[in-house]
Amino acid sequence: MPAVNSVLVVGGGLAGAATAIHLAQAGVAVDLVEIKPDTAALGSGITLQGNALRELRALGVWDQVQAAGYAFDVTGIRAPDPHGTVVAEIPDAKTGGPDLPAAMGMPRPELARILLDRATEVGVKVRFGATHNEVGQDANGVDVTFADGSTGRYDLVVGADGVRSWTRRALGVNLETRSVGMGIWRAFGPRPASVTRTDLYYGGPSYIAGYCPTGEDSLYAYIVEDAQDRSALTPEEQLATMRELSRAYHGPWDEIRETLTDPSRVNYTWFETHVLDEPWNRGRVVLIGDAAHTCPPTIAQGGAMALEDAVVLAELLVERSALDQDLWDAFHARRCERARTVVDASNQLAQWQLDHVQGDIPSLMRSIAQLTSQPA
């Protein structure tokens, strides 16, 4: 018998949806609330490494993911010269196993749709445009008041509601989310035939200019600069700024730049980071995914860490018979150090770029690949 019979999951992103699916498949009654109005609002593009693909296969959605995304096994390094010269082609580690691609790009809203459709299929009750505004607990359960005035009582609440987690604040958990000093422009558009993998351009006026195919007909392109306040720019000015920054980069970038015409498909955010010291739970409420740890996307492991949190938490809840300290100790032993190692590596790579130093990037990436090739 599982350690819980009823669970509220707050947040419909990767961590929340995956937790809900695993628990519902084991017979647990799961409600999931997502404050955004629909899956179209759940993010932009995402790069999924092999360990993320491994967890998606375990969730029973690999066929849909494979059909919707774009897989590749090599990352290219290009020079910021007039030709976008390829200077290296680096085979990506197949951390999900030899029968899965090394990496895959796909639209994050499409991945969210696939996961939430799967959640509904296995019995999760999903509510969009909903969240909680009060959480109180005792030794036996958690009482939740939702923003619409409705209430519920659950054996466990899972806060998977992102970097600025409302659940975390409701628990009174103080966690500093800080900028690492970089800002990223992202744009979404059609995929030129010349883009068949992620290519990274280091140097030039920006730290990185790259792109990732997200489907047969789509990609997202990005440029990383010093973090600065870009909030006063109109959408048209944001588009013009990204186009101007991209003019230093060539090869496929020359084709991509011509497709950057829609201001609504450009956004700008800062690289941010935090790691919550254990425990990640306060009684019968636990934080996972970006609510507990977030890292700059320098090694593309944020989504994978969220999925791993979900599978480990659900596994323990289903295998154990009591929601006790032994369960929480086992959860923290499997997740805290692993997540911190990945966040630290992501931050280290960002710092090397900020400092313009030649860090041992291959060694760093091999270490992370070795870690993430092992099941969570």
Side-chain angles (χ1 to χ4, degrees):
M1 181 177 178
V4 292
N5 295 309
S6 61
V7 172
L8 171 67
V9 176
V10 184
L14 301 190
T19 302
I21 292 167
H22 282 304
L23 291 176
Q25 289 182 141
V28 177
V30 183
D31 291 348
L32 184 151
V33 293
E34 167 53 53
I35 195 169
K36 292 183 175 67
D38 53 47
T39 56
L42 291 173
S44 47
I46 188 169
T47 302
L48 300 163
Q49 302 287 356
N51 55 322
L53 302 180
R54 177 178 63 214
E55 303 305 342
L56 291 168
R57 182 170 61 184
L59 288 163
V61 297
W62 170 240
D63 288 345
Q64 299 96 305
V65 168
Q66 186 177 30
Y70 195 103
F72 52 94
D73 294 327
V74 174
T75 294
I77 307 298
R78 291 179 180 261
D81 63 20
H83 307 289
T85 304
V86 176
V87 296
E89 294 181 314
I90 303 171
D92 295 316
K94 291 196 169 190
T95 56
D99 56 338
L100 287 170
M104 174 174 285
M106 68 182 303
R108 191 183 286 261
E110 180 64 13
L111 178 58
R113 183 196 63 77
I114 290 169
L115 287 171
L116 290 170
D117 283 353
R118 176 63 174 162
T120 300
E121 179 184 311
V122 297
V124 177
K125 296 179 180 178
V126 178
R127 295 166 57 193
F128 284 101
T131 190
H132 60 80
N133 59 15
E134 188 175 343
V135 176
Q137 61 179 305
D138 54 39
N140 299 312
V142 187
D143 293 306
V144 179
T145 301
F146 296 97
D148 64 1
S150 61
T151 60
R153 183 170 172 84
Y154 302 90
D155 294 333
L156 175 71
V157 171
V158 179
D161 45 349
V163 175
R164 313 202 195 288
S165 169
W166 174 247
T167 306
R168 191 176 68 228
R169 283 178 283 167
L171 292 173
V173 175
N174 293 318
L175 181 63
E176 178 190 3
T177 302
R178 64 175 181 84
S179 167
V180 304
M182 290 175 162
I184 183 168
W185 291 98
R186 291 184 176 95
F188 302 87
R191 180 185 70 86
S194 58
V195 175
T196 58
R197 65 190 185 197
T198 284
D199 283 336
L200 300 171
Y201 298 65
Y202 289 105
S206 303
Y207 293 110
I208 307 169
Y211 41 77
C212 177
T214 55
E216 287 300 321
D217 302 315
S218 66
L219 62 64
Y220 74 96
Y222 48 91
I223 296 177
V224 180
E225 63 173 9
D226 285 314
Q228 51 194 291
D229 185 358
R230 297 289 198 176
S231 61
L233 298 180
T234 66
E236 290 74 19
E237 289 170 335
Q238 289 188 338
L239 173 61
T241 300
M242 185 170 183
R243 284 178 59 92
E244 184 60 31
L245 288 171
S246 76
R247 293 189 190 283
Y249 305 101
H250 300 284
W253 258 110
D254 291 327
E255 298 177 86
I256 294 168
R257 183 164 45 255
E258 294 306 308
T259 71
L260 299 181
T261 59
D262 184 351
S264 71
R265 297 177 72 83
V266 174
N267 67 71
Y268 182 76
T269 57
W270 285 8
F271 283 5
E272 294 182 304
T273 187
H274 65 226
V275 183
L276 181 62
D277 292 332
E278 62 176 284
W280 293 356
N281 74 299
R282 299 295 186 270
R284 290 176 172 265
V285 183
V286 64
L287 303 170
I288 64 171
D290 282 350
H293 50 79
T294 193
C295 54
T298 47
I299 59 173
Q301 275 291 316
M305 290 298 102
L307 290 166
E308 288 186 4
D309 284 353
V311 70
V312 172
L313 178 62
E315 177 185 306
L316 291 169
L317 291 171
V318 170
E319 290 180 350
R320 303 293 180 97
S321 59
L323 189 63
D324 56 17
Q325 192 57 47
D326 286 345
L327 184 150
W328 293 124
D329 288 346
F331 175 67
H332 292 123
R334 290 175 62 180
R335 293 308 305 151
C336 290
E337 182 178 355
R338 185 174 172 111
R340 185 177 293 278
T341 299
V342 168
V343 172
D344 287 348
S346 301
N347 290 333
Q348 181 65 73
L349 184 51
Q351 193 61 53
W352 285 339
Q353 292 163 0
L354 285 166
D355 294 341
H356 303 286
V357 301
Q358 295 296 316
D360 190 354
I361 294 175
S363 178
L364 179 72
M365 300 308 292
R366 284 194 297 270
S367 296
I368 293 301
Q370 184 176 15
L371 173 71
T372 56
S373 65
Q374 302 301 314

